[in-house]
Amino acid sequence: MTTIPTKPTKIIIDTILWTSAKALFDIGKVVLLSMFFTFPTLIWAEQESKSYEAVDLGLPSGTLWATCNVGATHPEEFGDYFAWGETTPQPQKDYSWNSYKWCVADVDKLTKYCNGRDFGNDGFRDMKTELDFEDDAAYVNWGGDWRTPSLAQIKELEKKCKWEWAVYKGVKGYIVKGRNGNSIFLPSASWCLYSLGPREGNEGGYWSRSICKSNPNCAFRMVFFSGGLVEWNGYFRCSGLSVRPVRIKKD
């Protein structure tokens, strides 16, 4: 006659369960400790790889200007060209309404950032006049609190700084010096429109994050020429221009 054990079997099962649970707990501790010591290092490395230098020009608004363009690593490099509201360069430098992200292949068929029915696709309007974060080439590519400058920040740079045409490391452009003596260099990277590529050397164009409210298929830009003219005006949003990021000084 076979005797059916009860308590001994339960003891064995409890022992097995306890041993398994303890092993899993030990493994969990190892994993957690590993994450504790390595995860901050990974985060730090990512932040370090995305750190960019900002220059305090002593501007009243507290705006700090980056030392280089998006897509560049040094002040004299042109960097990438962006259509307004796009965060990656156009392939083959095709900066036209046919390839522009925020329209239906026409100058007056906008699908975002439109405050006038005559400019929107089928009367579209969203009344947006400044770039959302997700459409800002400075924020998307650099992160943190970097932004494409507003029209007000571009006007401030123009009016509150001294502009001097110069050649820096073999590249023509403007040295922009603040009243505190600090300066940045803006290379003459020109711009792209339709099939016309950039005419580097004698002109430069830099996007703001603001559209022209009276003509929303255009956005404001800062533009300069070697002859000494520095101004701001509206330009077709499908065009490829440089982006020089800004951020606000923290107290």
Side-chain angles (χ1 to χ4, degrees):
M1 180 175 178
T2 304
T3 303
I4 300 175
T6 53
K7 292 184 179 180
T9 301
K10 184 178 185 303
I11 292 172
I12 293 172
I13 292 173
D14 287 346
T15 302
I16 293 172
L17 290 175
W18 167 251
T19 304
S20 300
K22 186 176 183 302
L24 289 173
F25 179 74
D26 291 339
I27 293 172
K29 285 197 299 183
V30 172
V31 172
L32 287 173
L33 287 172
S34 176
M35 290 176 63
F36 179 80
F37 286 108
T38 60
F39 188 68
T41 303
L42 294 174
I43 293 296
W44 177 85
E46 182 180 359
Q47 289 175 341
E48 183 185 43
S49 67
K50 292 186 177 181
S51 62
Y52 300 92
E53 186 178 354
V55 177
D56 184 355
L57 298 171
L59 298 170
S61 67
T63 299
L64 307 178
W65 283 78
T67 57
C68 64
N69 297 341
V70 176
T73 55
H74 296 89
E76 72 277 10
E77 296 174 354
F78 295 152
D80 293 323
Y81 296 89
F82 298 92
W84 190 86
E86 297 188 5
T87 58
T88 57
Q90 284 285 358
Q92 309 301 319
K93 294 186 178 179
D94 177 23
Y95 293 92
S96 68
W97 294 109
N98 287 328
S99 60
Y100 183 56
K101 181 178 182 179
W102 301 118
C103 78
V104 184
D106 200 347
V107 62
D108 294 331
K109 292 186 177 181
L110 300 175
T111 58
K112 192 173 183 181
Y113 303 105
C114 181
N115 61 347
R117 296 185 187 280
D118 293 338
F119 296 91
N121 185 46
D122 294 331
F124 168 82
R125 287 191 305 170
D126 59 6
M127 307 307 292
K128 292 177 180 285
T129 58
E130 287 204 346
L131 288 173
D132 291 332
F133 282 95
E134 63 265 27
D135 302 321
D136 188 323
Y139 176 76
V140 171
N141 287 278
W142 283 21
D145 52 359
W146 290 105
R147 295 297 308 273
T148 298
S150 66
L151 177 59
Q153 288 171 318
I154 281 178
K155 288 182 177 181
E156 181 184 51
L157 186 74
E158 176 195 353
K159 296 180 183 300
K160 300 295 183 180
C161 293
K162 179 182 178 181
W163 291 65
E164 180 182 353
W165 185 256
V167 177
Y168 176 74
K169 293 189 176 181
V171 177
K172 297 178 182 178
Y174 269 102
I175 294 175
V176 184
K177 182 177 291 187
R179 294 177 180 177
N180 61 2
N182 295 335
S183 63
I184 59 173
F185 178 72
L186 297 173
S188 54
S190 188
W191 53 85
C192 307
L193 178 60
Y194 299 111
S195 60
L196 299 176
R199 297 170 294 182
E200 300 98 336
N202 295 308
E203 57 193 21
Y206 290 79
W207 279 130
S208 79
R209 64 172 181 260
S210 312
I211 68 167
C212 300
K213 295 180 181 179
S214 61
N215 196 27
N217 53 22
C218 292
F220 285 110
R221 64 172 180 169
M222 174 173 61
V223 60
F224 57 73
F225 302 90
S226 60
L229 178 63
V230 180
E231 61 180 9
W232 52 270
N233 59 28
Y235 206 60
F236 284 140
R237 285 163 45 175
C238 66
S239 310
L241 272 70
S242 305
V243 172
R244 177 61 65 95
V246 297
R247 62 183 181 86
I248 299 297
K249 180 167 55 176
K250 298 179 181 178
D251 296 331

